[in-house]
Amino acid sequence: MARRVGPSARSRRLARTLRKLRAESGVSAAEVGKALSMSGSKLNRIEAAEIGIYQDDLEKLLDYYRVPKKRRVELLDIARHAEQRGWLRMRNANLPADWQAWSDFEDEATALLQYEPLMIPGLLQTPEYARAVIEATGGGLSDDEVDALVASRISRQSVLTKRQPLRLHVLVEEDALNRPFGDAGALARQLRHLEDIATRPNITLQLLPAEAGLHAGLHGAFVVLEYDDEPSLVWLENQLASVFLEEDEQIEGYLASWNDMVVRAHTADESAELIGKMVV
């Protein structure tokens, strides 16, 4: 089986970051190139992940954009390992930075296929549900940190309403919708939100009933990210780490699991009817 050709997840992350740094600086590729004795067309190709970047050129760019030391170290490390496939990221106290890597890939995706066995996916959460999840899983975050992460999670939902909205197809275990949280009305408000948002043409929500039995999703939650002009990725996350998978056989394996679960799940119409009954 032939392997798909394309830049690695690390290369794509680095390219997008460099594009954002230049945009934030308000300068053109030609202006940056002139300042650093680099052609603007070369910089454009680096920012599109069409070509790699030498470390000395990257250091010049990071100097030019005045990138803080901590972020600079991260980007130089990404560049050193840019050709490696598969990207394991250990979780640490700097949660917003970890989420930014995921958010960047999510923002550029054209479609997401997401399976969640235990909770409602972040793109479909109300602020109070997001807060409850973050407080339960955050490991002693301060109130300010929780506030920042809730705001970040809710702001990500704009990918569903932008000019060319993300196509989102979600499979959620039915039992996850019965898990109580917050005050007496919190779950009802979350379910009403699901009922409403699932009517959007770019969103498909299916519930997996317990009667579906043992299925291919028993290994845990996963997300398949699809792109128009770049290879798909699979994203996995647990308490200690997150990982992007990008080999053909890995993507195909998760797509096979996805297809198995789709046929076992309630249809979108059946799922909407079930959610409506839960709200009453």
Side-chain angles (χ1 to χ4, degrees):
M1 179 176 60
R3 190 189 186 288
R4 284 172 300 171
V5 177
S8 70
R10 287 179 175 85
S11 294
R12 289 156 69 173
R13 164 68 169 159
L14 181 62
R16 178 176 173 82
T17 300
L18 293 176
R19 290 199 304 273
K20 289 178 68 176
L21 287 171
R22 182 168 61 78
E24 291 166 0
S25 298
V27 292
S28 69
E31 290 173 307
V32 177
K34 183 177 180 180
L36 302 181
S37 300
M38 178 191 302
S39 72
S41 61
K42 178 181 178 180
L43 182 56
N44 281 327
R45 294 182 68 196
I46 290 170
E47 291 179 353
E50 294 176 0
I51 60 173
I53 183 170
Y54 290 110
Q55 182 169 324
D56 56 346
D57 285 337
L58 177 57
E59 289 180 343
K60 291 176 184 177
L61 284 173
L62 299 180
D63 286 342
Y64 183 85
Y65 298 135
R66 298 182 179 180
V67 175
K69 181 179 179 180
K70 188 172 183 179
R71 194 176 189 196
R72 180 189 184 97
V73 169
E74 177 193 8
L75 294 174
L76 287 169
D77 182 68
I78 291 174
R80 280 192 293 271
H81 301 92
E83 298 306 312
Q84 295 180 11
R85 296 280 170 173
W87 188 10
L88 174 68
R89 293 175 59 86
M90 300 304 297
R91 299 289 296 272
N92 55 48
N94 193 22
L95 280 175
D98 287 342
W99 282 17
Q100 187 61 54
W102 157 251
S103 182
D104 285 346
F105 283 109
E106 181 183 69
D107 188 54
E108 293 193 336
T110 55
L112 248 65
L113 311 178
Q114 183 166 3
Y115 166 63
E116 279 289 354
L118 299 177
M119 64 181 175
I120 295 165
L123 290 178
L124 303 181
Q125 293 176 2
T126 61
E128 59 187 336
Y129 187 96
R131 178 175 298 278
V133 170
I134 290 168
E135 288 177 340
T137 62
L141 294 171
S142 69
D143 289 343
D144 287 345
E145 289 170 327
V146 171
D147 288 342
L149 291 174
V150 171
S152 174
R153 180 168 295 185
I154 299 306
S155 70
R156 279 171 40 206
Q157 297 175 0
S158 64
V159 297
L160 299 173
T161 56
K162 61 185 180 180
R163 186 172 182 180
Q164 292 184 315
L166 177 76
R167 299 191 306 277
L168 178 65
H169 189 168
V170 172
L171 292 175
V172 184
E173 295 287 344
E174 187 175 335
D175 287 345
L177 273 58
N178 296 314
R179 192 183 299 273
F181 72 98
D183 63 43
L187 181 57
R189 288 189 289 273
Q190 173 64 73
L191 292 176
R192 281 195 292 270
H193 177 67
L194 279 184
E195 190 177 24
D196 176 65
I197 202 170
T199 63
R200 296 180 186 176
N202 60 311
I203 297 175
T204 301
L205 171 60
Q206 290 182 258
L207 300 181
L208 268 162
E211 292 76 18
L214 302 181
H215 56 71
L218 294 178
H219 289 299
F222 65 87
V223 182
V224 179
L225 300 96
E226 297 183 336
Y227 301 85
D228 281 341
D229 302 317
E230 294 182 323
S232 297
L233 297 170
V234 166
W235 187 66
L236 309 173
E237 182 185 31
N238 60 34
Q239 184 174 346
L240 298 178
S242 62
V243 62
F244 288 99
L245 305 177
E246 48 192 317
E247 297 291 1
D248 282 334
E249 59 270 21
Q250 295 168 336
I251 308 299
E252 291 168 6
Y254 277 94
L255 287 175
S257 296
W258 174 265
N259 292 331
D260 171 73
M261 289 187 288
V262 165
V263 298
R264 293 170 180 262
H266 292 300
T267 67
D269 288 342
E270 292 168 342
S271 298
E273 184 178 350
L274 285 168
I275 294 171
K277 291 178 180 178
M278 293 178 189
V279 174
V280 175

